[in-house]
Amino acid sequence: MSNQHRKNKKSFFGRPIWQNSTKTIKVAPQRYYQPESLQDVLEMVQEGIDTKTPVRAVGSGHSFSDAPKAEGILIDTDKLNRLSGIYNFTNKQGHYFEVEGGIKVHELNAALDKAGYCIPTMGGIDHQSIAGAISTGTHGSSLLFGAMSNMVKSIILVTHDLQDKSKAKTYRIERAGSNALTNDPDYQGPELIQDDDIFNSAVVCFGVMGIIFSYVLEVDKMYYLSEKKEVSEWKSVLPKLRDGSIFDNHRSVFVQVNPYKFKGKNLTLVVYHDDYATCDRNMFLERLKHGFWHRLKRFSRSFSFELVSRFPYLLWFAIWRINTFPNYVPRFLNTAVKSQRDEEYFNKGYKVMYQGLDYVKERAFDCEIAVPMDPEGNYLDTVEALMEYLGNLREEYKMHITSPLGLRFIKGSEVFLTPEHGEDVCYIDTPALLHVYGRDTIISRIQQFLLSRGAKPHWGKLNQYMDVDYVKTRYPRFDDFMRVIEKFNATGIFYNIFTKRILGR
Ligand SMILES: Cc1cc2nc3c(=O)[nH]c(=O)nc-3n(C[C@H](O)[C@H](O)[C@H](O)COP(=O)(O)OP(=O)(O)OC[C@H]3O[C@@H](n4cnc5c(N)ncnc54)[C@H](O)[C@@H]3O)c2cc1C
């Protein structure tokens, strides 16, 4: 099912309707535009300024939050999907590619692969647009590279003219000083702004500063990854997480744990990614080994899970079973963990980082909340407290999450409004299938539970319990961020219902 993402645009007797991928956000915008060039975007923003109509861009609509909700001018970025090539106005060491904001992660990966390059990190699926993913802080699991926003070195933004707010204008935004990317005296292009505060505000700002036309991303020469998926008990993984030894010598570590005890155990999967600069293996044999032999072994271990991943419509059977026999959930998640055991998967970096199961994931939603990773490992107390809390909700109300808890680890960043600002974080992910009993209630309860412990929600996932007062207390550079935003969003056309709640504008 890979890469067949759900269509966002529908029509109602000839008039446009836009919906997110889970169909939980629907909107009938006043205007629906699909620009193909920078000039098109400039004209659309100008129309918004002239008519005082809100303007928002949407990517793939893979956010569950109302961040992309666009009731005025909706700019669908599907056709801004070109990889423009190597960026030449710099003599800095590294590999820099200019890429339009609407390109989907899988399109970007394919284009970079052809040129012999690969992105250093990505989320578990590849359907998002690059601007949508970066603007909400999308991440994989990486204490080495951080979130996807760390790839960004330069941004072309269409916004208000800083000298005359009645005009739309295009700027190129970068860091200042020795961290600036563009240093060629013959640079030609949009007016250059090299300023750390402006850059750190623009990278993760969910469209509130203007429309991102393109980025320059720093990527790697094509590299290969070896993935190992190990199954054990939470109580044997926990000490290694607490003392940090689990991360030693691994490029990336991702943990899934069944929060519900089955036969007295919380079964846990640890996914390790290790780096290989080049490929010294026969890829035909690797594909055969992974695609055939490993699948056969998994089939014998967990027949029902393999069936669901092969024939996704069987998911509806799984949902029926969860709703009808709630006591079955601990066993169901136990099998979900066990079925993923894998001795080795070896392939190009982006192919290994892509975790698949799109069909199921796009029929679920979640909140994903970042907890600071203190050196003593106390953040794990929060994980354990959440497991206990989920256990109580299950016992008492027969409400469940329907996937194992996901723990992903992200390096701190200087970007002002990214949840990992200034500190490494552990994201706790709690997915629930769309049609299971009590899904809204349990996701709400989890949010309230984690927010009461000071955690920071993902901007693209469910985060309806966060308001501007909470954001102010959790983001120390909030005031600097707002100073920049108010300058660029001078007439307020880039605000929406989401920003009203979390920024107070
Ligand atoms: C099945 C699934 C799996 C996921 N897996 C992960 C994961 O592994 N890790 C993770 O961190 N997250 C994950 N997410 C969350 C997802 O990555 C984010 O919600 C991301 O924002 C979605 O990208 P999008 O292109 O769909 O953006 P949209 O939802 O369309 O938009 C997101 C925000 O970006 C803004 N925006 C989009 N394009 C532009 C532009 N050109 N200029 C200005 N603003 C713009 C929108 O206005 C909106 O505020 C997942 C979501 C789903 C549904």
Side-chain angles (χ1 to χ4, degrees), residues 155-409:
I155 306 169
I156 291 189
L157 183 76
V158 183
T159 184
H160 297 83
D161 185 333
L162 295 179
Q163 310 306 324
D164 176 358
K165 65 179 183 180
S166 70
K167 298 241 159 27
K169 183 165 172 173
T170 305
Y171 293 98
R172 179 181 287 286
I173 295 171
E174 299 183 355
R175 289 198 175 87
S178 59
N179 291 323
L181 179 69
T182 303
N183 53 16
D184 182 339
D186 295 328
Y187 167 73
Q188 286 171 353
E191 186 178 323
L192 197 52
I193 299 179
Q194 293 180 325
D195 178 295
D196 285 345
D197 280 10
I198 294 176
F199 182 83
N200 285 327
S201 302
V203 179
V204 175
C205 77
F206 22 85
V208 82
M209 226 165 121
I211 308 302
I212 290 158
F213 175 73
S214 66
Y215 295 111
V216 177
L217 302 179
E218 183 170 11
V219 301
D220 293 333
K221 277 271 183 202
M222 181 54 74
Y223 60 91
Y224 287 75
L225 287 178
S226 151
E227 177 182 77
K228 186 174 181 194
K229 294 181 168 178
E230 248 175 34
V231 174
S232 53
E233 259 190 79
W234 172 245
K235 71 172 191 237
S236 61
V237 172
L238 185 60
K240 292 191 239 163
L241 280 167
R242 221 178 263 289
D243 67 15
S245 59
I246 200 164
F247 303 109
D248 290 348
N249 309 319
H250 296 296
R251 182 185 205 267
S252 148
V253 173
F254 166 46
V255 174
Q256 282 190 0
V257 51
N258 180 358
Y260 309 118
K261 279 200 162 56
F262 181 69
K263 295 192 177 161
K265 293 180 199 161
N266 294 99
L267 209 62
T268 303
L269 179 83
V270 186
V271 182
Y272 299 99
H273 284 173
D274 292 312
D275 221 346
Y276 285 78
T278 51
C279 174
D280 52 4
R281 306 192 190 184
N282 181 324
M283 287 312 289
F284 175 74
L285 289 181
E286 287 298 321
R287 267 199 296 276
L288 202 66
K289 196 168 90 183
H290 190 261
F292 177 70
W293 177 235
H294 287 176
R295 189 164 287 283
L296 199 70
K297 279 201 288 185
R298 281 211 296 273
F299 231 97
S300 63
R301 274 190 215 125
S302 77
F303 183 66
S304 54
F305 253 84
E306 274 306 305
L307 274 187
V308 170
S309 63
R310 286 291 83 196
F311 306 103
Y313 292 105
L314 287 179
L315 177 68
W316 298 104
F317 175 67
I319 291 172
W320 170 80
R321 209 164 158 194
I322 290 169
N323 283 335
T324 320
F325 306 105
N327 287 339
Y328 153 71
V329 173
R331 172 201 280 263
F332 173 74
L333 295 193
N334 210 62
T335 314
V337 169
K338 231 172 34 185
S339 67
Q340 295 180 72
R341 180 186 292 143
D342 198 355
E343 280 88 27
E344 194 185 30
Y345 173 41
F346 182 85
N347 213 327
K348 291 177 174 169
Y350 71 94
K351 294 195 175 179
V352 173
M353 288 186 283
Y354 166 74
Q355 288 162 21
L357 274 184
D358 315 345
Y359 183 86
V360 177
K361 287 181 181 167
E362 290 180 346
R363 279 148 191 85
F365 60 24
D366 58 348
C367 56
E368 197 182 5
I369 306 199
V371 191
M373 286 177 76
D374 54 308
E376 294 74 37
N378 292 330
Y379 69 96
L380 294 158
D381 297 343
T382 300
V383 176
E384 292 223 287
L386 178 65
M387 284 163 64
E388 193 184 329
Y389 182 60
L390 289 173
N392 294 341
L393 289 175
R394 187 186 109 64
E395 289 292 323
E396 195 135 344
Y397 308 106
K398 302 278 181 253
M399 283 180 191
H400 307 89
I401 58 168
T402 55
S403 275
L405 282 185
L407 305 181
R408 291 192 272 183
F409 309 91

Side-chain angles (χ1 to χ4, degrees), residues 29-33 35 40-58 67-77 158-160 168 205-212 489 491-497 499:
Q30 287 170 258
R31 294 254 184 260
Y32 190 106
Y33 289 140
D40 289 350
V41 180
L42 200 64
E43 284 167 17
M44 289 161 198
V45 172
Q46 187 64 57
E47 181 183 335
I49 296 173
D50 292 343
T51 59
K52 299 189 175 49
T53 308
V55 182
R56 303 283 299 174
V58 296
K69 196 163 186 178
E71 289 168 338
I73 295 173
L74 184 154
I75 298 184
D76 171 341
T77 57
V158 183
T159 184
H160 297 83
C205 77
F206 22 85
V208 82
M209 226 165 121
I211 308 302
I212 290 158
N489 191 4
T491 69
I493 58 167
F494 301 121
Y495 295 132
N496 71 349
I497 189 160
T499 64

Side-chain angles (χ1 to χ4, degrees), residues 413-430:
S413 154
E414 59 188 25
V415 169
F416 288 167
L417 243 62
T418 195
E420 71 278 12
H421 172 79
E423 54 199 2
D424 295 351
V425 299
C426 167
Y427 268 99
I428 309 175
D429 188 17
T430 59

Side-chain angles (χ1 to χ4, degrees), residues 90-115:
T90 183
N91 62 8
K92 283 182 96 77
Q93 289 287 313
H95 311 292
Y96 302 101
F97 277 83
E98 185 133 43
V99 46
E100 290 181 357
I103 197 170
K104 306 296 176 282
V105 175
H106 63 89
E107 293 170 338
L108 173 64
N109 284 336
L112 284 174
D113 188 352
K114 261 195 197 147

